[in-house]
Amino acid sequence: MKPPSIFNLLKKILNNKPSNSKHIENLISSGVKIVDVNSVYIEDSVEISPGSIILPSTFIMGNTKIKADCMIGPNSTISNSNIAKGTKIIYSIVTDSSIGENNQIGPFAYIRESTSTFSNVEIGNFVDVKSSQIGKNSKSKHLAYIGDTEVSHNVNIGAGAVVANFDGKNKNKSSIKENVLLGSNSTIISPVVISSNSIIGAGAVVTKDVMSKEIVAGNPARKLRK
């Protein structure tokens, strides 16, 4: 079953009663810091570990578990997701996903269904990630779309990069291996494999697999050298 859209999640908040003040009191008593109890919405099903901070205008719903030393908000929505220790989520939305330790999400990021991240991942402003896996120490800090993609470790995804996963009929998957540099405004036409230690030049349109340590550029992308 397809997960509910963020609009349906917000409609649920409008139709429901205010979040349980008793549950919020219990969270505070356990060591969770909630900066403004009057502006947050936290459902009874939500688990938050001591040491985490919930900032104003934040909505946390469903089967969500937030581990210790996290900072969530302000103006963030978390639904049916696991947030590991030490992660910061600022001005962002995370739904039906699993976020690893010491991640930095936001501002204005959208993490959608079936996404998982490893440790020390950075997902920055106006980055949309859907049904993807992001390896440890990988970064996408500006204006990108990552859909149905397995991103390995130490990958840097430049501003404006897009993984084009839909061909008009089917959602296709791509794989980006470790230590890849994906240049600004590059486009990956799925399904392809970008092998380890390769470089995709700025503005490149990748339509076929890229071998390890290759540098490709152009439209369509061609090998420059190894």
Side-chain angles (χ1 to χ4, degrees):
M1 185 174 66
K2 186 178 180 179
S5 70
I6 187 61
F7 301 103
N8 288 331
L9 290 174
L10 295 178
K11 187 184 295 183
K12 174 185 175 183
I13 294 173
L14 292 173
N15 292 334
N16 282 357
K17 297 178 182 178
S19 55
N20 191 339
S21 59
K22 184 63 176 177
H23 182 50
I24 290 177
E25 290 174 5
N26 290 338
L27 290 172
I28 293 172
S29 297
S30 72
V32 177
K33 183 176 181 180
I34 300 176
V35 174
D36 182 1
V37 296
N38 295 314
S39 72
V40 299
Y41 178 92
I42 303 175
E43 291 185 339
D44 291 353
S45 54
V46 171
E47 299 178 17
I48 306 176
S49 296
S52 285
I53 301 172
I54 310 301
L55 293 169
S57 301
T58 292
F59 305 93
I60 309 176
M61 298 170 285
N63 185 26
T64 293
K65 295 179 176 63
I66 299 173
K67 296 299 184 180
D69 304 320
C70 291
M71 185 175 72
I72 311 297
N75 297 93
S76 295
T77 299
I78 314 294
S79 176
N80 295 319
S81 296
N82 293 321
I83 313 299
K85 182 178 179 181
T87 284
K88 295 178 174 61
I89 300 174
I90 303 170
Y91 286 96
S92 295
I93 298 169
V94 179
T95 63
D96 303 278
S97 295
S98 179
I99 306 300
E101 289 189 359
N102 300 310
N103 279 205
Q104 294 184 32
I105 308 297
F108 313 117
Y110 190 9
I111 312 296
R112 293 194 275 152
E113 67 271 11
S114 303
T115 291
S116 62
T117 68
F118 285 76
S119 60
N120 303 308
V121 166
E122 296 183 41
I123 304 295
N125 50 291
F126 304 105
V127 176
D128 184 351
V129 184
K130 176 255 178 189
S131 301
S132 295
Q133 177 180 295
I134 312 296
K136 65 181 180 181
N137 302 316
S138 290
K139 301 177 182 180
S140 179
K141 301 187 76 170
H142 319 277
L143 302 162
Y145 174 65
I146 305 166
D148 298 283
T149 306
E150 182 179 344
V151 179
S152 191
H153 309 315
N154 303 307
V155 172
N156 194 317
I157 298 175
V162 171
V163 180
N165 58 329
F166 185 53
D167 62 9
K169 292 182 179 179
N170 301 305
K171 295 291 179 68
N172 299 299
K173 297 182 179 181
S174 283
S175 178
I176 302 174
K177 302 302 184 181
E178 63 271 11
N179 305 314
V180 166
L181 175 61
L182 207 61
S184 296
N185 295 314
S186 56
T187 303
I188 308 301
I189 309 295
S190 296
V192 296
V193 176
I194 312 297
S195 296
S196 61
N197 301 290
S198 57
I199 298 175
I200 310 302
V205 179
V206 178
T207 59
K208 59 184 180 180
D209 293 352
V210 176
M211 298 298 102
S212 179
K213 299 183 181 179
E214 282 187 347
I215 299 174
V216 302
N219 181 8
R222 296 176 176 85
K223 182 174 70 172
L224 299 182
R225 65 179 186 272
K226 272 201 171 185

